[in-house]
Amino acid sequence: MSESLKRPAGESIATKGTNKKASLDYKTIDLDEDYSKCLNREVFTTEYKQALQEKIADATPYKWGSINQLVDESLLRNVRDEILREIHFTKKETDIYKVFQSGDLNNLNGLDSEELSKLPNLLKLRNALYCREFREMISYVTQAGAISSHKYDMSLNIYHKSCHLLTHDDVIGSRRVSFILYLPDPDRPWKDHYGGCLRLFGSHEANIPKSDFAKKFMPQFNDYAFFEVKPGYSFHDVEEVKADKQRISIQGWFHIPQVDEEGYIEGELQKFEQQSSLEGLESSVVDKFDFPKLLTDKISYTADQQQKFQQGIRFEDLDLEYLGKFINPELLNKENLAAHCSEFCSDSMITLQEFLSPEYSETLSKLIKQTELETEVPKLSKDVGFPWKVAMPSVKRRFLYVDGRKLEPELLGLSLEHESDAEKTSRISAREALDAQLPNDQPDFLTMANSESYQDSTTKKLCELAGFFDSLQFKQYLNALTSLIPQSAQKILIRRFRPGSDFTLATTQQTDFAETSGDSTMVDAVLEGTLCLTPSKLWKSGEFGGYELCMNVDSEDNDPAVYRNASSEEDIIMNRQADWNSFTLMLKDSSILKFVKYVSYSAQGSRWDINCQWQAQSFAESDSEEEE
Amino acid sequence: MAKRPLGLGKAHEKKNKKKKTSNGEDSKHSSKEQTPQNDGQLMIKLNSDMNELAQLWVNYVKKKIANETQEEGDQNELVLNGIIHECDRILRKSHNLKENKDSVKDDEESIIVDGQLYAIYGLALAELAYFQSQGEDDDEEEEKEFDEEEEKKKNSEHAAKISEFFTEALDRIETGFDKFPKDRITLNWAKIQILANRIPLQYISSMTLTSNKKKYPDIEKLVDELFSSYQDNMKLASNLSSKNAGDEYNDYGVFFDYQQYLVLDTIDDLLDMIENFGMNDDLNEIDSDNEDEIETSNIELTKKHPLFVVRDCIPSYEDNLIEKCENFLEHLQALDKSKFKIDIENSCQNSEYKHNSLVIFYLQINKKLGELYLRKADGSGKAYTDIVYGDDQDSEPSVPKKELQKLQKEAIANYKKAIEHIKKIEDPEDPQTWVNIAEAEISLGNIYDLDSKDQETLYQKAEKRLKKANKATNGKYDHILKNLLDG
C-alpha cells in the first residue's frame, strides 16, 4: 500500500499567487540603479565579503549565512510602520503552516504603481535588496552562481503567537538563494523563549531531513539570514512563535538568470526545476526512510472463521465477555450495534464516543495524565527510548509511535542530530538489548504489555489496548460494525503528538486493491480506526492544533496544492478535535486527503491516539446506482 | 447482509448531491459531527429543584466563572438569547392567564413570576451587551479598511446599542422592584451587577487617552455607589439569613451566592480595567520577565481624564474588595461546617465535586483573594526593592529606616496571605497553578534580606515547583527558571 503526498512540502507559503502575477513590473524601477547606499556599507568591503564567504563555505548543515544590521535603521523603521499601516494581513492555515499573510500584497511584484506609491519605503528597500552590488555580493559569498537581475520576488508575513511553518526546502522553479529580513519590534530585543526562530535541518540523504534541527537563527530587527536553495537539502522551518509577539518578516528569493540575461546557462533552469521537492519526495530513496512503514500483514483465518465472516458475524457470535473488558458495554448492546452498522454502511464513517469501558478509560486516563505530568517528553530523537520510535521524514510527518516491532535497521543506524559518537554507540547497544525482548519482527504488543523488564505502565497499558485491536474478537466486532472483513492489517500504531513538534502532512492513499489483487471482493478503500486518547483539555477550539482533518479531493487531479483550494465547507468531510476516548472508524478511499494538524507548543499536553488500518473484503452487494 | 459501504469520498459526494437536490432538507443527522446538530436548540440537563429558568442562568454563570465560556463560543450568546426568550414567554403566558386568554389545563406547566425572574431577565440582557462589544471587535479584526468617519459612525451606533441593552436591563429590574418588593435582595444584586457591568462596557470602552470627564458621568461616584449598595444589600441579606438560621442551604441560597460572587467578580474586573487603562495595546508586548518594560508602559492620565480621580482610589477600593471577598469566604466555610458534610478544603480537587457550587465558589474566591493580595503586595514590595536595590543602592536610602521596614513588613505579610490563598487552588493536574505559587514565592523571597535563610528557602521551594512544572509542560517555564537560577 503506497502513500503519496499530494503537494510538495517544500512549497513556500509566500508563493501563493506568484503564477498569476508572473509578469514582473520592470518599468516601475531601474534595478541597476545603485540603491546600495541604503545598506550597511561595511558588507561590501573585501574583508567582510571574504570572511563571510569562508564562514558560509564551512557552515552546517548546508551553506547559509547572516548579516546583522543590514539596512539603514531609519529606512527599516519606516518600512515597518508602512507595513503595519498600509497592509492588511489575513490568517491562513493549512497542514504545513499558520501565518498571517498580506492578501493581494503577498507578492510585491504584482502591485500596480498606485499601490506601490503607498509603500515608498518598502519599494526603496526592495530596490536596495535587489541592486547589482548586493546581488553580486550574495552571489560571491554563497558561491551559488549568478543571480538574475530581472526576476525577483519578495513577500510579507506576520507570525503571531502559535504561527509556524513546518519543514520544507524552498525549492520551486528557479530559486537560487532564499533570504529573510526580520522586522520585529525594533525597540525590544527578540528573546529565545519567544520562539519564531529560523531552524535549519541537516539531511540523512537527499530529501530526507533529520527530525531535529541543527542550527537556529533568532529573528532580531534588521538581521538578514540567507541560504542557497539546494533541492533535497536546504530544509528549514519557522519555529512556532510562543509569546504574544509580532514576528514580521520579509521573505524573498534570488533567482537563476533567465534567457538573455547575463550569466544565463542553457539547460540550468530545467535541470534545477527537475529537482523539485515533489519529485524528490516521491522517489524510492525517500520510501526507504519512510517510517512507520505501511507494511501489511495478511490475516490468517481458519476455514471456519473465514466462513463465519463471509456469512456476517452475528451478535450471538461475538465474544462479549472479552470485548466487554475493553469496550463500553453500551456499545455492545444488540440494538446499538445494529444502528451503528447501519450508520457506517450509509456514511462510511462513524464516531463512537466513550468507546472504552468506564473502568478501562479511567485507569488509562490516570496513567497518561501521570506520564504527561511526571515525565519529561523527549524533544530530541536521541532521547526517544524503547519501545517508542520517531516517525519520519519530517517533510511528511513527525510523531512518536509504538508499532510492536523491533527497531528497523535503517532507523537504528541513523546518525542523529546533537549526538556524539559515544552516545550513538551506547544508544544502539541499549536499544538492541531492549529489542531483544521482542520475539520476532511481527507486531507483538502483548509481549510488551506483559514484559517485566519494561516498567513504563502507561506504555504497557497502551500496548495491551493495541493488542486488543489486533485480536480476532475485535475483528469480529469490526465485521459486525461495518459488514466488512478485515483481511490485511496494516500497522497498529500507538501515537503521541508532542506539543511544539509533531504533525502529519496531508496525504492520500492508493486503494486499487481489487485490481492489484485480482480479487473483486476486495474493497477499494482502507478501513481506518482512530481511538483518540487525549486527556488534556482546551482542544475544542482547534486553536492548539492536534485535530484530524479529512478532505475530499479529486483523485484525478494532480495539482499538488489542490487541497488548499478546497476551501468550501462541502469538501471538508471531517474535522475532529483531539479528545478523550472517542473511536472514529472510516472507509477511506483514494479521494480522501487526511492530516493531523501540528500540535501547538501552548497545548496543555500531547495528542495521544491508537491508529489502525485494514484492507477489507466485502461479499455484500454494491449499490449499483452509486457505482455508476 | 448489509450493503457494501461506498467509501468515504463517494458517500460524501452522494450526500452532497442529495443535499443539493433536496435543498438541504436531510442534513440534520450525524454522529460524525464534532457537536451534535441541534438546530439552534440547547439541551441542558436540569437536575435540581431550582426552577428551570434559574437553573439555566446558574449553568451559564457556572461556565462563565470556570472560564469555560471561551470554549463554548457562540453557544453562550445562544444560551442568553434562550434565557431572554424564556423570560419573555413566561411573562406573556402569565399575562394571558391573568387576562383569561389562556385557560389552565391539568398538564399545564406551573408559571412562576417573581422577582428572581425579573432579575434574571435584566441580568441576561446586560450580559448580551457584552457580546455586542465582543462582536464588534471580531468584525474589526476581519475588516480593517474603513474610513474614519464611518468608524466614528459605527462606534456611536455601537455605543447606542450597548446603552439600549443596559436601559432595557435596568427597566426589567425596576419592574421587578415594583411588583415584587419582597424579592428586593435578589433584585438588588442584579441591579448592582448590571450597574457594575455598565461602567466598563458603556463608558470606559468608549474612552481614549484624550477623553474629557465632562462627557462622562462621575466614575468615582459610580464605583462608590457600587460598594455602598453592596454593603446595604449584605445587611438586608444577613437579616434575612439570621431569621432563617435553621433553614437548609437551599437552591435560593445557592442562587444568592452566585449573584453575590458575580458582583464581586465584576467589580474586580472593573478595578483592573481602570488601573490598566490605556495599557491594553502594549500589554501583550510586555515580557513577564522584564519588570523594566512593565514600568515604562504605565500610562499617565491628564487631570481632565474621566478616570484620573478614580484611579488614585484603586488601592482603597481593592482593600474594600478584599474585605468583601474574605467575608464571602467565611460565609462559605460557615456553610460548609453547618450544612455540608464535605471537607471543602480537601475535596476541591476531587473531580466528583468539580461542579459543586460550594467548591466552585471556594476555588474562585481563593483565586481572587490570592490575586488581590499579590497586587497589594506588589505595590509595597516594588517600592521597597526600588529603594533597596535601585540605582542609588550605594548611597544612603532617602527613606527613613523605619519607613523602609514598614514597607518590607507590609509586603511580606501580603505576599504570605497571597501564597496562603493560591496554595488552596493548587491543582495536581494543572502545572500553571504550581507556577503561580512558585512566582509568588520568588516575589516574597525578593523582599527578604539578600541571601537570608528565608530568601534561600523560598527560592528553593520555587525552584522545585518550577522544575516540576517545566517537566510537565515541555519546558514552558524554562525562562522563569533560568531567571531564578541565574539571579
Side-chain angles (χ1 to χ4, degrees):
Chain A
M1 201 182 298
S2 74
E3 188 187 42
S4 68
L5 200 69
K6 286 291 286 183
R7 44 176 298 295
E11 181 177 358
S12 163
I13 54 168
T15 57
K16 194 180 171 193
T18 309
N19 293 340
K20 252 195 274 174
K21 295 176 185 293
S23 60
L24 307 181
D25 192 3
Y26 300 121
K27 289 167 198 164
T28 53
I29 56 161
D30 174 9
L31 278 180
D32 288 324
E33 185 186 327
D34 186 8
Y35 282 91
S36 63
K37 56 180 180 265
C38 303
L39 304 179
N40 182 348
R41 294 304 308 167
E42 193 201 344
V43 305
F44 299 107
T45 61
T46 311
E47 296 74 30
Y48 189 94
K49 285 196 288 189
Q50 188 60 37
L52 189 54
Q53 194 218 78
E54 285 166 15
K55 205 173 163 189
I56 291 170
D58 294 338
T60 56
Y62 46 83
K63 288 207 277 180
W64 74 285
S66 65
I67 302 171
N68 296 338
Q69 304 301 305
L70 174 67
V71 183
D72 173 73
E73 191 181 325
S74 63
L75 170 66
L76 204 60
R77 279 179 179 262
N78 289 338
V79 168
R80 189 174 190 276
D81 291 345
E82 217 165 69
I83 290 171
L84 290 173
R85 192 177 58 243
E86 299 292 343
I87 298 177
H88 180 53
F89 289 84
T90 46
K91 182 177 156 189
K92 305 270 177 182
E93 183 166 11
T94 70
D95 57 341
I96 193 172
Y97 61 76
K98 178 166 157 188
V99 68
F100 285 75
Q101 291 181 337
S102 56
D104 283 348
L105 304 180
N106 189 28
N107 194 309
L108 294 175
N109 300 330
L111 301 187
D112 61 29
S113 49
E114 193 195 329
E115 286 168 319
L116 281 174
S117 69
K118 289 180 187 165
L119 303 163
N121 292 297
L122 190 55
L123 185 58
K124 199 172 171 186
L125 173 69
R126 180 186 68 175
N127 295 346
L129 294 176
Y130 281 93
C131 74
R132 176 187 287 274
E133 203 179 355
F134 192 61
R135 286 197 319 266
E136 286 174 353
M137 184 265 188
I138 291 291
S139 172
Y140 174 75
V141 296
T142 55
Q143 294 288 296
I147 287 173
S148 170
S149 59
H150 283 45
K151 194 167 181 177
Y152 54 96
D153 59 286
M154 264 172 43
S155 61
L156 300 167
N157 296 302
I158 298 186
Y159 288 75
H160 293 286
K161 187 175 182 181
S162 85
C163 287
H164 56 270
L165 168 60
L166 303 179
T167 317
H168 62 288
D169 66 4
D170 256 15
V171 175
I172 285 187
S174 60
R175 290 172 181 175
R176 173 148 266 166
V177 174
S178 286
F179 67 82
I180 311 109
L181 178 63
Y182 297 103
L183 297 92
D185 188 337
D187 300 316
R188 290 188 178 120
W190 193 266
K191 295 179 183 175
D192 192 38
H193 69 269
Y194 299 170
C197 293
L198 169 71
R199 301 189 299 191
L200 311 180
F201 291 76
S203 299
H204 295 296
E205 283 190 30
N207 292 307
I208 316 291
K210 295 187 173 179
S211 294
D212 307 319
F213 67 90
K215 290 276 155 59
K216 77 175 179 180
F217 184 80
M218 218 192 289
Q220 300 296 357
F221 181 77
N222 206 0
D223 278 0
Y224 180 88
F226 58 102
F227 55 86
E228 184 185 6
V229 176
K230 206 168 173 202
Y233 287 97
S234 50
F235 290 106
H236 59 282
D237 75 1
V238 178
E239 181 190 20
E240 177 183 355
V241 173
K242 301 169 186 172
D244 282 318
K245 304 283 164 187
Q246 276 188 333
R247 178 199 183 273
I248 304 173
S249 61
I250 293 176
Q251 163 86 54
W253 294 270
F254 292 114
H255 288 260
I256 290 172
Q258 312 292 295
V259 187
D260 297 335
E261 262 194 275
E262 192 185 332
Y264 171 74
I265 299 170
E266 195 161 352
E268 186 186 32
L269 181 60
Q270 287 78 357
K271 195 180 155 198
F272 209 79
E273 281 173 343
Q274 278 168 8
Q275 296 173 302
S276 76
S277 296
L278 182 61
E279 192 186 319
L281 284 167
E282 287 175 345
S283 73
S284 56
V285 186
V286 177
D287 288 345
K288 184 181 154 200
F289 284 96
D290 246 5
F291 291 101
K293 293 264 180 251
L294 294 176
L295 301 170
T296 51
D297 298 310
K298 178 86 184 144
I299 301 167
S300 310
Y301 296 118
T302 62
D304 183 42
Q305 285 165 351
Q306 177 69 22
Q307 197 187 357
K308 276 190 174 171
F309 270 117
Q310 282 190 22
Q311 287 163 352
I313 299 290
R314 292 170 309 154
F315 181 75
E316 293 70 26
D317 297 330
L318 291 175
D319 183 349
L320 293 175
E321 196 184 334
Y322 178 71
L323 292 170
K325 261 180 72 184
F326 299 91
I327 301 179
N328 190 338
E330 288 280 311
L331 301 175
L332 297 172
N333 152 320
K334 193 173 183 178
E335 287 72 34
N336 284 342
L337 195 56
H340 293 151
C341 180
S342 159
E343 182 176 341
F344 181 84
C345 291
S346 150
D347 294 355
S348 293
M349 176 160 76
I350 189 166
T351 294
L352 302 172
Q353 302 287 357
E354 296 180 40
F355 180 73
L356 295 175
S357 70
E359 300 76 29
Y360 206 92
S361 161
E362 198 187 334
T363 311
L364 191 57
S365 166
K366 270 186 190 160
L367 284 170
I368 296 179
K369 277 183 189 169
Q370 193 181 328
T371 298
E372 296 224 296
L373 293 171
E374 294 175 11
T375 324
E376 203 159 350
V377 58
K379 287 182 202 162
L380 301 172
S381 304
K382 73 182 174 74
D383 299 327
V384 175
F386 176 87
W388 293 87
K389 305 174 183 177
V390 183
M392 61 180 296
S394 58
V395 277
K396 289 184 181 181
R397 61 184 78 84
R398 185 165 52 220
F399 55 83
L400 304 183
Y401 67 97
V402 178
D403 60 2
R405 294 173 197 251
K406 289 179 178 175
L407 194 68
E408 293 82 352
E410 295 93 329
L411 276 175
L412 195 62
L414 288 179
S415 285
L416 303 178
E417 210 65 72
H418 313 290
E419 186 181 47
S420 66
D421 289 346
E423 279 177 320
K424 185 178 175 181
T425 312
S426 136
R427 172 176 59 85
I428 291 176
S429 59
R431 182 67 196 229
E432 278 173 343
L434 286 162
D435 271 344
Q437 292 178 26
L438 301 179
N440 53 45
D441 284 339
Q442 295 303 308
D444 196 341
F445 288 106
L446 293 179
T447 301
M448 285 198 297
N450 298 314
S451 163
E452 281 178 16
S453 56
Y454 183 59
Q455 296 300 323
D456 174 8
S457 318
T458 306
T459 307
K460 282 167 94 168
K461 195 74 182 167
L462 285 166
C463 284
E464 181 185 83
L465 198 50
F468 164 66
F469 280 111
D470 213 15
S471 67
L472 175 68
Q473 290 93 327
F474 183 72
K475 286 172 196 118
Q476 289 172 332
Y477 169 70
L478 271 186
N479 179 264
L481 192 61
T482 65
S483 83
L484 300 171
I485 308 168
Q487 279 300 354
S488 305
Q490 234 181 32
K491 280 191 177 180
I492 292 174
L493 298 175
I494 300 166
R495 303 189 298 185
R496 179 179 186 181
F497 293 83
R498 299 160 294 175
S501 171
D502 295 344
F503 59 90
T504 65
L505 293 193
T507 53
T508 56
Q509 270 176 284
Q510 282 176 15
T511 55
D512 46 354
F513 304 125
E515 194 185 320
T516 49
S517 66
D519 179 354
S520 64
T521 60
M522 288 305 290
V523 178
D524 281 341
V526 173
L527 182 63
E528 179 176 320
T530 307
L531 173 60
C532 196
L533 294 168
T534 309
S536 50
K537 295 170 196 159
L538 300 178
W539 296 93
K540 227 185 207 173
S541 68
E543 194 190 332
F544 302 119
Y547 53 82
E548 241 187 336
L549 194 133
C550 269
M551 297 183 81
N552 193 19
V553 290
D554 180 359
S555 54
E556 299 300 310
D557 191 344
N558 287 323
D559 179 355
V562 69
Y563 79 96
R564 290 196 203 159
N565 301 327
S567 55
S568 142
E569 286 291 315
E570 275 182 11
D571 295 319
I572 296 174
I573 297 177
M574 182 194 81
N575 183 2
R576 278 209 67 77
Q577 308 302 335
D579 59 6
W580 177 254
N581 199 11
S582 68
F583 183 60
T584 300
L585 197 60
M586 62 172 71
L587 191 60
K588 206 172 74 173
D589 53 49
S590 58
S591 69
I592 301 300
L593 196 64
K594 187 163 176 266
F595 65 89
V596 175
K597 179 64 188 171
Y598 164 85
V599 177
S600 168
Y601 171 83
S602 305
Q604 283 194 349
S606 302
R607 173 198 161 91
W608 300 72
D609 65 26
I610 295 184
N611 177 269
C612 26
Q613 299 191 8
W614 299 268
Q615 284 176 24
Q617 198 180 19
S618 174
F619 289 89
E621 279 177 39
S622 301
D623 188 333
S624 56
E625 181 201 316
E626 300 310 325
E627 290 293 303
E628 280 164 15
Chain B
M1 187 178 269
K3 277 198 173 158
R4 181 193 281 214
L6 296 168
L8 197 47
K10 281 183 188 154
H12 186 69
E13 271 171 32
K14 182 184 169 188
K15 217 173 202 184
N16 275 345
K17 223 187 269 175
K18 211 171 165 189
K19 209 176 186 179
K20 277 176 192 161
T21 49
S22 63
N23 288 326
E25 277 170 29
D26 63 338
S27 61
K28 286 173 193 168
H29 131 109
S30 102
S31 64
K32 68 183 178 294
E33 299 289 340
Q34 179 71 24
T35 44
Q37 297 263 326
N38 52 26
D39 297 335
Q41 287 182 357
L42 287 159
M43 298 293 289
I44 292 175
K45 274 188 186 171
L46 303 173
N47 51 9
S48 92
D49 294 333
M50 195 185 281
N51 80 56
E52 290 187 3
L53 184 66
Q55 281 192 65
L56 278 177
W57 176 249
V58 164
N59 266 321
Y60 170 80
V61 174
K62 261 191 192 180
K63 285 193 171 178
K64 186 177 160 151
I65 292 173
N67 258 334
E68 283 171 14
T69 43
Q70 281 171 346
E71 277 213 59
E72 302 288 324
D74 295 340
Q75 287 272 306
N76 302 302
E77 206 170 339
L78 208 60
V79 173
L80 284 174
N81 277 314
I83 292 171
I84 289 167
H85 285 142
E86 184 61 6
C87 292
D88 209 35
R89 187 187 70 81
I90 293 173
L91 287 177
R92 264 188 287 116
K93 182 107 186 168
S94 154
H95 179 76
N96 288 344
L97 283 173
K98 272 187 199 157
E99 300 279 313
N100 290 325
K101 283 180 188 164
D102 284 358
S103 56
V104 184
K105 293 169 196 161
D106 289 345
D107 59 347
E108 193 80 61
E109 58 174 340
S110 58
I111 293 287
I112 305 165
V113 177
D114 57 6
Q116 192 185 54
L117 181 135
Y118 281 97
I120 293 172
Y121 203 162
L123 287 166
L125 281 167
E127 275 298 295
L128 264 190
Y130 169 77
F131 284 99
Q132 285 295 317
S133 62
Q134 288 296 99
E136 288 294 318
D137 286 349
D138 292 347
D139 290 348
E140 238 170 85
E141 250 177 54
E142 287 297 316
E143 195 51 69
K144 256 184 174 175
E145 294 164 24
F146 48 79
D147 61 45
E148 215 172 298
E149 278 306 305
E150 202 175 321
E151 193 177 343
K152 269 186 188 169
K153 198 178 151 201
K154 222 173 174 180
N155 280 344
S156 93
E157 280 171 8
H158 177 217
K161 221 172 184 179
I162 288 180
S163 160
E164 208 177 303
F165 272 100
F166 282 112
T167 310
E168 287 288 322
L170 288 168
D171 182 61
R172 299 299 179 281
I173 303 298
E174 292 309 324
T175 311
F177 277 127
D178 288 347
K179 295 192 171 178
F180 303 97
K182 69 174 177 58
D183 293 333
R184 64 192 181 285
I185 301 175
T186 298
L187 287 159
N188 272 335
W189 283 135
K191 188 175 178 179
I192 302 168
Q193 166 75 7
I194 294 166
L195 291 173
N197 259 326
R198 188 163 74 166
I199 300 173
L201 291 180
Q202 193 175 332
Y203 306 131
I204 300 181
S205 68
S206 67
M207 288 177 195
T208 64
L209 288 174
T210 54
S211 293
N212 193 306
K213 60 183 175 190
K214 283 181 188 163
K215 290 190 177 170
Y216 291 89
D218 182 344
I219 305 291
E220 188 200 5
K221 197 175 154 206
L222 293 180
V223 179
D224 284 343
E225 279 169 8
L226 288 180
F227 278 106
S228 60
S229 305
Y230 184 99
Q231 203 55 40
D232 293 346
N233 211 35
M234 279 305 289
K235 269 185 201 159
L236 276 177
S238 64
N239 288 340
L240 184 82
S241 61
S242 60
K243 276 181 204 165
N244 303 321
D247 288 1
E248 287 298 304
Y249 181 59
N250 55 22
D251 290 333
Y252 216 68
V254 174
F255 189 81
F256 258 33
D257 286 343
Y258 272 106
Q259 285 202 299
Q260 196 185 338
Y261 177 79
L262 263 195
V263 170
L264 292 172
D265 195 38
T266 311
I267 293 178
D268 185 31
D269 286 348
L270 169 65
L271 297 183
D272 193 45
M273 195 182 229
I274 293 171
E275 195 171 9
N276 295 312
F277 180 79
M279 284 170 60
N280 294 353
D281 294 341
D282 277 357
L283 209 56
N284 286 342
E285 289 285 314
I286 291 169
D287 272 338
S288 57
D289 54 346
N290 193 335
E291 287 177 12
D292 295 342
E293 288 181 14
I294 293 171
E295 198 180 2
T296 52
S297 60
N298 277 333
I299 305 289
E300 287 288 324
L301 298 177
T302 63
K303 282 186 179 174
K304 287 181 182 168
H305 197 275
L307 298 180
F308 180 79
V309 180
V310 72
R311 200 188 244 190
D312 281 346
C313 306
I314 293 290
S316 68
Y317 286 141
E318 285 184 344
D319 283 345
N320 202 339
L321 189 60
I322 285 176
E323 188 195 318
K324 297 196 166 17
C325 287
E326 281 176 338
N327 290 340
F328 189 66
L329 186 60
E330 275 168 28
H331 158 72
L332 294 177
Q333 280 161 337
L335 269 177
D336 183 34
K337 277 182 193 150
S338 60
K339 317 283 180 204
F340 291 87
K341 298 300 166 216
I342 63 166
D343 176 356
I344 193 168
E345 277 200 40
N346 295 316
S347 306
C348 57
Q349 299 307 343
N350 184 337
S351 57
E352 201 186 318
Y353 296 111
K354 198 181 152 199
H355 297 291
N356 181 298
S357 295
L358 204 62
V359 169
I360 292 174
F361 291 139
Y362 181 80
L363 291 175
Q364 293 299 326
I365 209 75
N366 271 301
K367 186 177 170 203
K368 197 164 288 303
L369 276 165
E371 287 164 358
L372 283 163
Y373 272 114
L374 271 183
R375 291 214 290 262
K376 200 169 153 68
D378 284 342
S380 44
K382 191 173 179 316
Y384 173 77
T385 50
D386 277 356
I387 298 165
V388 178
Y389 304 112
D391 293 338
D392 301 329
Q393 54 179 299
D394 292 335
S395 55
E396 274 295 298
S398 54
V399 179
K401 201 177 172 188
K402 217 172 172 186
E403 191 72 19
L404 207 57
Q405 281 172 338
K406 196 184 152 205
L407 276 175
Q408 187 186 27
K409 208 174 153 190
E410 204 177 289
I412 288 173
N414 288 324
Y415 277 127
K416 278 186 173 171
K417 274 273 185 193
I419 292 170
E420 189 186 309
H421 287 291
I422 51 180
K423 270 189 176 168
K424 290 195 171 140
I425 54 168
E426 183 173 17
D427 181 346
E429 287 183 10
D430 183 0
Q432 184 57 50
T433 61
W434 318 339
V435 175
N436 292 343
I437 299 171
E439 288 192 308
E441 284 171 339
I442 294 170
S443 299
L444 175 57
N446 292 341
I447 306 299
Y448 279 109
D449 295 341
L450 197 63
D451 299 330
S452 62
K453 200 180 164 202
D454 286 325
Q455 188 177 62
E456 283 308 307
T457 311
L458 282 159
Y459 286 168
Q460 278 165 11
K461 279 185 187 170
E463 186 188 332
K464 206 172 154 195
R465 277 203 167 83
L466 283 173
K467 278 186 173 163
K468 190 176 137 199
N470 220 23
K471 195 188 255 186
T473 59
N474 202 15
K476 254 182 208 115
Y477 305 103
D478 265 341
H479 60 291
I480 305 178
L481 194 58
K482 192 171 177 288
N483 272 352
L484 175 68
L485 299 177
D486 288 353

